[in-house]
Amino acid sequence: MDELAQRLLLLPSHHEAERAEALRTLNEADARWWLGFDESLRSHWSWALYSHWPVVARVARGGDVDALDVLLAGCHADGRIREAVLARLAALGGPAAMTVLAIRTGDWVPQVRIRARREVDALLSKAGEPALSPLAAAAIATRKRVNGSWLAERIDEHVMGLTAERLEPLLRIGDSRTRRIAYRTAIERHRLDADHLVVAATKDQDQRIRVMAARAAVAGARSLATLHRLAGSRTALVRAEALTALAAWGESAAIVGALADRHPVVREVAQAAVRAVGGDPAEHYRRLVTSTAPPVTAQAGSSEAGGFVEVGTAPPVAGFGAAGGSAQMDTARPSSAVAGLGVAGGSTEMDTAGVVAGFGVAGGSAQMDTERPAGVVAGFGAAGGSAEMATAPPAGVLAGLGETGDRADAPALRVHLSHPSARGRVAALRGLRRLGCLTTEDAVALLTDPSSAVVKNAVAALRPDAATLDADLPDRLLEPGQPRHTRFAGYRLAVARGPWARLIVDLRLLDDSDEQLSHVARVDIDGWLSRAATLYRMPTGQQRAELTVLLDRASPTLRTAGVLRFHAGLT
């Protein structure tokens, strides 16, 4: 940024093509980038050469200036100059000018701040929505800064004051931050019908809007069809909201189907609903693990592809009888979450699209399903797949058994460490670990799995006891012919064997052919040094001998080799 700031400040006014390209670049930059660039510009202006002052003179005197001059002067170190160009920024328009104007509404100089806020008020009253998107983006970026909350509050106030006709286009605007404000306002005013809310909850690109719309749709749901459409969403939090409401309506089939959902937050809601009526979710998981996956039939009332499907022949869970459930299920329950489950809120991690066992939604992580055939598990919402996949329980079933079962379920999970899908193997591994039944042999056997997700979980299980493993195991995994994720597994196990084993493997990999692994090792040496003074054991004789050779080899390129020798007692 500093280099760009200096180059733009020195760019002659007659270099029209370069100035136009610079302006295009600045208009494409987002608000967070502008916050840093504003600081860079002000730092350069503060020690500006005399050659910079013609720009300021042209702006201050109202002479022949272009948009780039106005933007640069709007970030000047002198508050009087910043104030002088605010009207020009407002008149200029465009994303960059609006962003600079927005930043100035939180300026530390009161005169600049007040004038900038006056210009923003005038823009919102005259230009309205065209100026709103860049201002809203800047408001999100600056709201936690000193004096930065005014703009966000002003935009909220503006949007909430819009008529229905002026609000409606904002629901389709490309900028997600502006769209969130519009949806929040429309929902608070009850302007959106059930269909609009369901479409937003299942199809909007922004997760916060999806969850916001789902909660509103659930709160106002007047039919099961609305809830079933939400239950088919690819977003876990939306499915959890719908499932909570379906449980309150006594929809036992929905609860049974969601027990095998791929996401833990949805399974947890389903498991809590089963327990609420005296059932045991573990019994359902045991039946599904030990039997072929049952066929499914489309749920009546589902109106979109990939929506809710009912596990038609699954044995009922204790406490769930005929469709419609029991009177116990009809008790009111908050739409935001089953008490204590923390469904409210969310993260991008929860936003992964994926296969919902019993819901038939296609998708998933390429990393976790590298060897999965086309389609999802047969009998769980999609045609296709191999015979092996058709008889294997879905990953959600294995995960659910690990969450609700006991140590007696370990054999049923262990056989699925060879599950045909990577997601299934991960679920079996995690389930065994959660039950305290994962053996070292189980985890070591998975270290060469073709899926990096499986290997990562196996390493996580082995790292606490890495020092007790076969000393040659990390070396075998680190052999050059191994896949990258296998070599990284060997590295993580090697560094977990102790501080001197960690330093040795780092030094070995400094000139490795894998540049990423070599870089990680080089960075880790600095991390090792930051804690070297806390070591209370010196290396063994064998380790000292190898460290001597490795440090001699690394000395020409490793600036810290001398310090490492000191800590290892080699000087």
mmCIF file of all heavy atoms in Angstrom, residues 412-449:
data_model
loop_
_atom_site.group_PDB
_atom_site.id
_atom_site.type_symbol
_atom_site.label_atom_id
_atom_site.label_comp_id
_atom_site.label_asym_id
_atom_site.label_seq_id
_atom_site.Cartn_x
_atom_site.Cartn_y
_atom_site.Cartn_z
ATOM 1 N N ALA A 412 -19.501 -52.163 16.259
ATOM 2 C CA ALA A 412 -20.309 -51.756 15.102
ATOM 3 C C ALA A 412 -19.673 -50.576 14.379
ATOM 4 O O ALA A 412 -19.783 -50.454 13.155
ATOM 5 C CB ALA A 412 -21.721 -51.406 15.562
ATOM 6 N N LEU A 413 -19.015 -49.680 15.126
ATOM 7 C CA LEU A 413 -18.344 -48.546 14.503
ATOM 8 C C LEU A 413 -17.012 -48.958 13.880
ATOM 9 O O LEU A 413 -16.640 -48.476 12.812
ATOM 10 C CB LEU A 413 -18.114 -47.438 15.533
ATOM 11 C CG LEU A 413 -19.347 -46.663 15.994
ATOM 12 C CD1 LEU A 413 -18.995 -45.757 17.161
ATOM 13 C CD2 LEU A 413 -19.919 -45.834 14.850
ATOM 14 N N ARG A 414 -16.299 -49.863 14.535
ATOM 15 C CA ARG A 414 -14.950 -50.215 14.075
ATOM 16 C C ARG A 414 -14.976 -50.825 12.682
ATOM 17 O O ARG A 414 -14.067 -50.570 11.879
ATOM 18 C CB ARG A 414 -14.300 -51.167 15.076
ATOM 19 C CG ARG A 414 -12.867 -51.536 14.725
ATOM 20 C CD ARG A 414 -12.128 -52.188 15.884
ATOM 21 N NE ARG A 414 -11.770 -51.214 16.912
ATOM 22 C CZ ARG A 414 -12.338 -51.131 18.104
ATOM 23 N NH1 ARG A 414 -13.296 -51.990 18.447
ATOM 24 N NH2 ARG A 414 -11.958 -50.218 18.974
ATOM 25 N N VAL A 415 -15.989 -51.594 12.361
ATOM 26 C CA VAL A 415 -16.031 -52.220 11.029
ATOM 27 C C VAL A 415 -16.169 -51.168 9.938
ATOM 28 O O VAL A 415 -15.836 -51.429 8.776
ATOM 29 C CB VAL A 415 -17.194 -53.235 10.925
ATOM 30 C CG1 VAL A 415 -17.013 -54.356 11.910
ATOM 31 C CG2 VAL A 415 -18.548 -52.568 11.094
ATOM 32 N N HIS A 416 -16.627 -49.981 10.305
ATOM 33 C CA HIS A 416 -16.821 -48.937 9.293
ATOM 34 C C HIS A 416 -15.634 -47.986 9.187
ATOM 35 O O HIS A 416 -15.728 -46.953 8.522
ATOM 36 C CB HIS A 416 -18.107 -48.169 9.581
ATOM 37 C CG HIS A 416 -19.334 -49.000 9.370
ATOM 38 N ND1 HIS A 416 -19.726 -49.433 8.124
ATOM 39 C CD2 HIS A 416 -20.224 -49.522 10.261
ATOM 40 C CE1 HIS A 416 -20.819 -50.162 8.235
ATOM 41 N NE2 HIS A 416 -21.136 -50.235 9.521
ATOM 42 N N LEU A 417 -14.503 -48.356 9.807
ATOM 43 C CA LEU A 417 -13.267 -47.629 9.533
ATOM 44 C C LEU A 417 -12.822 -47.866 8.093
ATOM 45 O O LEU A 417 -11.939 -47.166 7.583
ATOM 46 C CB LEU A 417 -12.164 -48.057 10.506
ATOM 47 C CG LEU A 417 -12.371 -47.627 11.964
ATOM 48 C CD1 LEU A 417 -11.274 -48.229 12.848
ATOM 49 C CD2 LEU A 417 -12.371 -46.105 12.092
ATOM 50 N N SER A 418 -13.426 -48.854 7.445
ATOM 51 C CA SER A 418 -13.179 -49.100 6.014
ATOM 52 C C SER A 418 -14.402 -48.730 5.184
ATOM 53 O O SER A 418 -14.606 -49.263 4.098
ATOM 54 C CB SER A 418 -12.810 -50.567 5.797
ATOM 55 O OG SER A 418 -13.867 -51.414 6.276
ATOM 56 N N HIS A 419 -15.220 -47.823 5.690
ATOM 57 C CA HIS A 419 -16.423 -47.354 4.980
ATOM 58 C C HIS A 419 -16.044 -46.869 3.577
ATOM 59 O O HIS A 419 -14.978 -46.280 3.383
ATOM 60 C CB HIS A 419 -17.045 -46.214 5.787
ATOM 61 C CG HIS A 419 -18.443 -45.856 5.379
ATOM 62 N ND1 HIS A 419 -18.718 -45.063 4.285
ATOM 63 C CD2 HIS A 419 -19.651 -46.163 5.935
ATOM 64 C CE1 HIS A 419 -20.022 -44.890 4.178
ATOM 65 N NE2 HIS A 419 -20.610 -45.548 5.168
ATOM 66 N N PRO A 420 -16.899 -47.103 2.573
ATOM 67 C CA PRO A 420 -16.550 -46.689 1.209
ATOM 68 C C PRO A 420 -16.423 -45.181 1.005
ATOM 69 O O PRO A 420 -15.798 -44.750 0.044
ATOM 70 C CB PRO A 420 -17.693 -47.255 0.357
ATOM 71 C CG PRO A 420 -18.806 -47.521 1.314
ATOM 72 C CD PRO A 420 -18.157 -47.874 2.612
ATOM 73 N N SER A 421 -17.001 -44.376 1.892
ATOM 74 C CA SER A 421 -16.839 -42.922 1.748
ATOM 75 C C SER A 421 -15.915 -42.394 2.839
ATOM 76 O O SER A 421 -15.895 -42.897 3.968
ATOM 77 C CB SER A 421 -18.197 -42.204 1.829
ATOM 78 O OG SER A 421 -18.572 -41.978 3.162
ATOM 79 N N ALA A 422 -15.145 -41.380 2.489
ATOM 80 C CA ALA A 422 -14.239 -40.774 3.467
ATOM 81 C C ALA A 422 -15.016 -40.189 4.640
ATOM 82 O O ALA A 422 -14.591 -40.283 5.793
ATOM 83 C CB ALA A 422 -13.407 -39.682 2.788
ATOM 84 N N ARG A 423 -16.153 -39.594 4.350
ATOM 85 C CA ARG A 423 -16.967 -39.023 5.427
ATOM 86 C C ARG A 423 -17.415 -40.105 6.406
ATOM 87 O O ARG A 423 -17.475 -39.885 7.616
ATOM 88 C CB ARG A 423 -18.181 -38.300 4.832
ATOM 89 C CG ARG A 423 -18.887 -37.398 5.818
ATOM 90 C CD ARG A 423 -20.017 -36.645 5.120
ATOM 91 N NE ARG A 423 -19.516 -35.782 4.077
ATOM 92 C CZ ARG A 423 -19.035 -34.558 4.290
ATOM 93 N NH1 ARG A 423 -18.972 -34.075 5.514
ATOM 94 N NH2 ARG A 423 -18.601 -33.832 3.280
ATOM 95 N N GLY A 424 -17.725 -41.280 5.896
ATOM 96 C CA GLY A 424 -18.114 -42.387 6.766
ATOM 97 C C GLY A 424 -16.962 -42.856 7.641
ATOM 98 O O GLY A 424 -17.143 -43.166 8.821
ATOM 99 N N ARG A 425 -15.756 -42.903 7.059
ATOM 100 C CA ARG A 425 -14.586 -43.332 7.847
ATOM 101 C C ARG A 425 -14.279 -42.310 8.936
ATOM 102 O O ARG A 425 -13.924 -42.678 10.062
ATOM 103 C CB ARG A 425 -13.377 -43.529 6.923
ATOM 104 C CG ARG A 425 -13.580 -44.637 5.893
ATOM 105 C CD ARG A 425 -12.289 -45.066 5.245
ATOM 106 N NE ARG A 425 -11.660 -44.041 4.431
ATOM 107 C CZ ARG A 425 -12.006 -43.725 3.182
ATOM 108 N NH1 ARG A 425 -13.031 -44.352 2.602
ATOM 109 N NH2 ARG A 425 -11.360 -42.792 2.504
ATOM 110 N N VAL A 426 -14.405 -41.031 8.599
ATOM 111 C CA VAL A 426 -14.182 -40.000 9.613
ATOM 112 C C VAL A 426 -15.197 -40.131 10.742
ATOM 113 O O VAL A 426 -14.857 -40.022 11.924
ATOM 114 C CB VAL A 426 -14.258 -38.594 8.978
ATOM 115 C CG1 VAL A 426 -14.314 -37.518 10.050
ATOM 116 C CG2 VAL A 426 -13.067 -38.348 8.067
ATOM 117 N N ALA A 427 -16.465 -40.361 10.395
ATOM 118 C CA ALA A 427 -17.510 -40.482 11.412
ATOM 119 C C ALA A 427 -17.237 -41.676 12.327
ATOM 120 O O ALA A 427 -17.407 -41.586 13.552
ATOM 121 C CB ALA A 427 -18.876 -40.611 10.754
ATOM 122 N N ALA A 428 -16.822 -42.798 11.741
ATOM 123 C CA ALA A 428 -16.525 -43.987 12.556
ATOM 124 C C ALA A 428 -15.336 -43.721 13.480
ATOM 125 O O ALA A 428 -15.350 -44.083 14.663
ATOM 126 C CB ALA A 428 -16.243 -45.177 11.647
ATOM 127 N N LEU A 429 -14.305 -43.081 12.947
ATOM 128 C CA LEU A 429 -13.119 -42.784 13.746
ATOM 129 C C LEU A 429 -13.460 -41.847 14.906
ATOM 130 O O LEU A 429 -13.086 -42.092 16.055
ATOM 131 C CB LEU A 429 -12.053 -42.170 12.839
ATOM 132 C CG LEU A 429 -10.644 -41.943 13.390
ATOM 133 C CD1 LEU A 429 -9.638 -41.897 12.253
ATOM 134 C CD2 LEU A 429 -10.544 -40.651 14.193
ATOM 135 N N ARG A 430 -14.193 -40.781 14.603
ATOM 136 C CA ARG A 430 -14.562 -39.828 15.657
ATOM 137 C C ARG A 430 -15.463 -40.481 16.691
ATOM 138 O O ARG A 430 -15.352 -40.201 17.900
ATOM 139 C CB ARG A 430 -15.262 -38.624 15.041
ATOM 140 C CG ARG A 430 -14.337 -37.694 14.281
ATOM 141 C CD ARG A 430 -15.130 -36.558 13.660
ATOM 142 N NE ARG A 430 -14.275 -35.585 12.994
ATOM 143 C CZ ARG A 430 -14.712 -34.585 12.253
ATOM 144 N NH1 ARG A 430 -16.023 -34.413 12.093
ATOM 145 N NH2 ARG A 430 -13.877 -33.740 11.686
ATOM 146 N N GLY A 431 -16.380 -41.345 16.220
ATOM 147 C CA GLY A 431 -17.274 -42.014 17.154
ATOM 148 C C GLY A 431 -16.505 -42.905 18.117
ATOM 149 O O GLY A 431 -16.767 -42.898 19.326
ATOM 150 N N LEU A 432 -15.557 -43.678 17.598
ATOM 151 C CA LEU A 432 -14.746 -44.538 18.466
ATOM 152 C C LEU A 432 -13.929 -43.703 19.446
ATOM 153 O O LEU A 432 -13.789 -44.059 20.621
ATOM 154 C CB LEU A 432 -13.818 -45.397 17.602
ATOM 155 C CG LEU A 432 -14.474 -46.556 16.846
ATOM 156 C CD1 LEU A 432 -13.509 -47.151 15.841
ATOM 157 C CD2 LEU A 432 -14.957 -47.625 17.831
ATOM 158 N N ARG A 433 -13.413 -42.607 18.967
ATOM 159 C CA ARG A 433 -12.615 -41.756 19.855
ATOM 160 C C ARG A 433 -13.487 -41.150 20.953
ATOM 161 O O ARG A 433 -13.079 -41.064 22.111
ATOM 162 C CB ARG A 433 -11.955 -40.651 19.024
ATOM 163 C CG ARG A 433 -10.904 -39.871 19.792
ATOM 164 C CD ARG A 433 -10.267 -38.810 18.921
ATOM 165 N NE ARG A 433 -9.275 -38.059 19.665
ATOM 166 C CZ ARG A 433 -8.740 -36.926 19.263
ATOM 167 N NH1 ARG A 433 -9.088 -36.409 18.086
ATOM 168 N NH2 ARG A 433 -7.848 -36.304 20.013
ATOM 169 N N ARG A 434 -14.694 -40.731 20.589
ATOM 170 C CA ARG A 434 -15.593 -40.136 21.581
ATOM 171 C C ARG A 434 -15.984 -41.163 22.645
ATOM 172 O O ARG A 434 -16.159 -40.836 23.821
ATOM 173 C CB ARG A 434 -16.844 -39.602 20.881
ATOM 174 C CG ARG A 434 -17.794 -38.849 21.802
ATOM 175 C CD ARG A 434 -18.981 -38.299 21.029
ATOM 176 N NE ARG A 434 -18.591 -37.169 20.190
ATOM 177 C CZ ARG A 434 -18.533 -37.200 18.859
ATOM 178 N NH1 ARG A 434 -18.832 -38.319 18.210
ATOM 179 N NH2 ARG A 434 -18.195 -36.132 18.181
ATOM 180 N N LEU A 435 -16.125 -42.419 22.243
ATOM 181 C CA LEU A 435 -16.484 -43.478 23.183
ATOM 182 C C LEU A 435 -15.275 -44.001 23.958
ATOM 183 O O LEU A 435 -15.423 -44.855 24.823
ATOM 184 C CB LEU A 435 -17.146 -44.636 22.433
ATOM 185 C CG LEU A 435 -18.468 -44.312 21.720
ATOM 186 C CD1 LEU A 435 -18.968 -45.529 20.941
ATOM 187 C CD2 LEU A 435 -19.523 -43.850 22.710
ATOM 188 N N GLY A 436 -14.078 -43.514 23.630
ATOM 189 C CA GLY A 436 -12.871 -43.983 24.312
ATOM 190 C C GLY A 436 -12.448 -45.363 23.868
ATOM 191 O O GLY A 436 -11.763 -46.076 24.620
ATOM 192 N N CYS A 437 -12.809 -45.752 22.635
ATOM 193 C CA CYS A 437 -12.537 -47.113 22.171
ATOM 194 C C CYS A 437 -11.629 -47.154 20.940
ATOM 195 O O CYS A 437 -11.475 -48.216 20.325
ATOM 196 C CB CYS A 437 -13.848 -47.830 21.839
ATOM 197 S SG CYS A 437 -14.947 -48.028 23.249
ATOM 198 N N LEU A 438 -11.060 -46.022 20.548
ATOM 199 C CA LEU A 438 -10.173 -46.008 19.383
ATOM 200 C C LEU A 438 -8.788 -46.478 19.820
ATOM 201 O O LEU A 438 -8.151 -45.861 20.675
ATOM 202 C CB LEU A 438 -10.090 -44.598 18.795
ATOM 203 C CG LEU A 438 -9.231 -44.464 17.535
ATOM 204 C CD1 LEU A 438 -9.909 -45.166 16.364
ATOM 205 C CD2 LEU A 438 -8.981 -43.002 17.203
ATOM 206 N N THR A 439 -8.321 -47.567 19.245
ATOM 207 C CA THR A 439 -6.999 -48.090 19.596
ATOM 208 C C THR A 439 -5.931 -47.429 18.734
ATOM 209 O O THR A 439 -6.215 -46.866 17.674
ATOM 210 C CB THR A 439 -6.940 -49.608 19.391
ATOM 211 O OG1 THR A 439 -7.062 -49.890 17.987
ATOM 212 C CG2 THR A 439 -8.066 -50.301 20.149
ATOM 213 N N THR A 440 -4.693 -47.538 19.218
ATOM 214 C CA THR A 440 -3.577 -47.001 18.433
ATOM 215 C C THR A 440 -3.492 -47.683 17.076
ATOM 216 O O THR A 440 -3.244 -47.039 16.053
ATOM 217 C CB THR A 440 -2.258 -47.202 19.202
ATOM 218 O OG1 THR A 440 -2.340 -46.506 20.450
ATOM 219 C CG2 THR A 440 -1.074 -46.688 18.399
ATOM 220 N N GLU A 441 -3.742 -48.981 17.046
ATOM 221 C CA GLU A 441 -3.689 -49.724 15.783
ATOM 222 C C GLU A 441 -4.743 -49.216 14.805
ATOM 223 O O GLU A 441 -4.486 -49.117 13.602
ATOM 224 C CB GLU A 441 -3.899 -51.227 16.038
ATOM 225 C CG GLU A 441 -2.752 -51.910 16.775
ATOM 226 C CD GLU A 441 -2.706 -51.548 18.262
ATOM 227 O OE1 GLU A 441 -3.733 -51.050 18.801
ATOM 228 O OE2 GLU A 441 -1.650 -51.746 18.886
ATOM 229 N N ASP A 442 -5.947 -48.904 15.327
ATOM 230 C CA ASP A 442 -7.003 -48.364 14.466
ATOM 231 C C ASP A 442 -6.537 -47.083 13.785
ATOM 232 O O ASP A 442 -6.685 -46.909 12.568
ATOM 233 C CB ASP A 442 -8.259 -48.052 15.293
ATOM 234 C CG ASP A 442 -8.968 -49.280 15.818
ATOM 235 O OD1 ASP A 442 -8.837 -50.344 15.185
ATOM 236 O OD2 ASP A 442 -9.648 -49.167 16.856
ATOM 237 N N ALA A 443 -5.987 -46.170 14.574
ATOM 238 C CA ALA A 443 -5.609 -44.861 14.045
ATOM 239 C C ALA A 443 -4.400 -44.954 13.116
ATOM 240 O O ALA A 443 -4.362 -44.306 12.071
ATOM 241 C CB ALA A 443 -5.325 -43.900 15.193
ATOM 242 N N VAL A 444 -3.385 -45.761 13.482
ATOM 243 C CA VAL A 444 -2.186 -45.893 12.648
ATOM 244 C C VAL A 444 -2.545 -46.441 11.274
ATOM 245 O O VAL A 444 -1.988 -46.015 10.250
ATOM 246 C CB VAL A 444 -1.143 -46.778 13.348
ATOM 247 C CG1 VAL A 444 -0.018 -47.161 12.381
ATOM 248 C CG2 VAL A 444 -0.571 -46.065 14.562
ATOM 249 N N ALA A 445 -3.504 -47.373 11.232
ATOM 250 C CA ALA A 445 -3.895 -47.968 9.953
ATOM 251 C C ALA A 445 -4.497 -46.941 9.000
ATOM 252 O O ALA A 445 -4.495 -47.144 7.781
ATOM 253 C CB ALA A 445 -4.892 -49.096 10.195
ATOM 254 N N LEU A 446 -5.007 -45.823 9.535
ATOM 255 C CA LEU A 446 -5.652 -44.811 8.696
ATOM 256 C C LEU A 446 -4.702 -43.697 8.276
ATOM 257 O O LEU A 446 -5.116 -42.770 7.561
ATOM 258 C CB LEU A 446 -6.848 -44.205 9.444
ATOM 259 C CG LEU A 446 -8.009 -45.166 9.726
ATOM 260 C CD1 LEU A 446 -9.038 -44.501 10.625
ATOM 261 C CD2 LEU A 446 -8.666 -45.601 8.414
ATOM 262 N N LEU A 447 -3.452 -43.754 8.694
ATOM 263 C CA LEU A 447 -2.513 -42.674 8.375
ATOM 264 C C LEU A 447 -2.154 -42.619 6.898
ATOM 265 O O LEU A 447 -1.650 -41.594 6.418
ATOM 266 C CB LEU A 447 -1.235 -42.825 9.203
ATOM 267 C CG LEU A 447 -1.376 -42.519 10.697
ATOM 268 C CD1 LEU A 447 -0.089 -42.858 11.441
ATOM 269 C CD2 LEU A 447 -1.741 -41.058 10.909
ATOM 270 N N THR A 448 -2.383 -43.703 6.177
ATOM 271 C CA THR A 448 -2.111 -43.708 4.735
ATOM 272 C C THR A 448 -3.398 -43.712 3.927
ATOM 273 O O THR A 448 -3.395 -44.061 2.747
ATOM 274 C CB THR A 448 -1.253 -44.932 4.364
ATOM 275 O OG1 THR A 448 -1.896 -46.123 4.829
ATOM 276 C CG2 THR A 448 0.139 -44.834 4.986
ATOM 277 N N ASP A 449 -4.496 -43.314 4.542
ATOM 278 C CA ASP A 449 -5.779 -43.241 3.840
ATOM 279 C C ASP A 449 -5.689 -42.243 2.686
ATOM 280 O O ASP A 449 -4.996 -41.219 2.790
ATOM 281 C CB ASP A 449 -6.872 -42.803 4.824
ATOM 282 C CG ASP A 449 -8.268 -43.006 4.272
ATOM 283 O OD1 ASP A 449 -8.737 -42.136 3.501
ATOM 284 O OD2 ASP A 449 -8.887 -44.033 4.599
#
